[in-house]
Amino acid sequence: MTEVPGTVVCPGCDAVFSRAPLKPREVSRCARCGTELYRHAGDQQRRILPLTVASLIMFAIANLFPIVEIELQGLRSQTTLAGAVLVLSREGMSVVALLVLATTLLFPLMQLCILAYLLVPLSRERRPAGFAILVRAMQMLRPWGMIEVFLLGVLVAIVKLSSMASVVAGSALWAFMALTVLLTAVLSFNPNAFWEMTFRPPGESGEPGREAA
């Protein structure tokens, strides 16, 4: 297969068009069937790396510090996410423990690490090794990161336990809340923009230009 730089193929009707730079908020559509071809990325490319770094920091806090502290009849107990996974495993709920571990720790961490690995070289106009495989892997991992579901479950548990014991939110709980917001912003980044960034001619910053057909 021969690559033709500066072209885009319509996913709806397979028509081929010359790619032209867009102005902010502009969308390029197929002249034949009206399918969206690509859109201006705005300032996403500049803010996605700082958001990824902030997400990694929040992720570390969320997993290293206690989520909640419970006091009942003078006895205090606190746990981290890893501790909760271990307790589930010891109680014979290995499948649940594995799901919690994968969806709230492993998959989100892999997504953030892949993003950081891709974005740092791309910000210097260099294509990282394993680029295509990692972009596809990140897209496959997207549906499996469920930190927001875990957070909702923790909040429901805190409300129910508050009537029986004294429950104090730990720093990890606040970090999980911040991480949920940050991940929402980070994962809204269109993966197609990675291909635009890596195949963009050196020195081209994606400034406004004319709209494509």
Side-chain angles (χ1 to χ4, degrees):
M1 182 182 292
T2 304
E3 270 188 25
V4 183
T7 59
V8 58
V9 178
C10 174
C13 64
D14 293 332
V16 180
F17 298 91
S18 296
R19 178 184 289 270
L22 301 179
K23 296 178 182 178
R25 300 183 182 178
E26 279 190 339
V27 178
S28 178
R29 296 187 181 277
C30 176
R32 180 188 295 175
C33 66
T35 302
E36 181 180 320
L37 300 177
Y38 58 97
R39 61 176 59 211
H40 191 276
D43 61 349
Q44 273 192 333
Q45 296 175 9
R46 289 192 294 272
R47 48 170 212 258
I48 195 70
L49 182 55
L51 285 173
T52 301
V53 173
S55 296
L56 284 169
I57 294 171
M58 288 298 106
F59 188 90
I61 296 173
N63 285 279
L64 293 176
F65 292 89
I67 301 173
V68 292
E69 181 179 298
I70 301 174
E71 183 176 353
L72 179 63
Q73 297 179 350
L75 298 175
R76 290 188 177 185
S77 177
Q78 61 183 21
T79 186
T80 60
L81 175 58
V85 171
L86 287 174
V87 170
L88 287 171
S89 180
R90 289 170 185 166
E91 293 295 325
M93 294 182 282
S94 300
V95 175
V96 177
L98 183 60
L99 285 173
V100 173
L101 179 67
T103 59
T104 61
L105 201 155
L106 294 181
F107 292 159
L109 180 59
M110 288 172 66
Q111 281 182 286
L112 291 172
C113 288
I114 290 173
L115 265 173
Y117 174 80
L118 292 174
L119 288 168
V120 172
L122 287 175
S123 65
R124 301 174 183 174
E125 298 185 348
R126 289 192 293 108
R127 182 176 176 178
F131 172 82
I133 295 174
L134 290 174
V135 171
R136 293 189 183 98
M138 190 177 63
Q139 289 180 275
M140 291 176 60
L141 289 171
R142 275 192 175 196
W144 297 101
M146 300 183 183
I147 285 181
E148 66 282 357
V149 178
F150 171 77
L151 178 61
L152 182 61
V154 171
L155 292 176
V156 171
I158 288 175
V159 171
K160 290 185 175 181
L161 287 171
S162 59
S163 61
M164 298 181 292
S166 175
V167 181
V168 179
S171 54
L173 183 62
W174 302 109
F176 268 116
M177 292 181 181
L179 180 60
T180 300
V181 175
L182 288 169
L183 280 178
T184 301
V186 167
L187 297 181
S188 67
F189 183 68
N190 184 1
N192 291 332
F194 282 115
W195 300 96
E196 296 175 15
M197 292 167 69
T198 194
F199 290 110
R200 188 172 59 206
E204 183 183 317
S205 58
E207 292 301 317
R210 61 185 180 88
E211 186 173 356

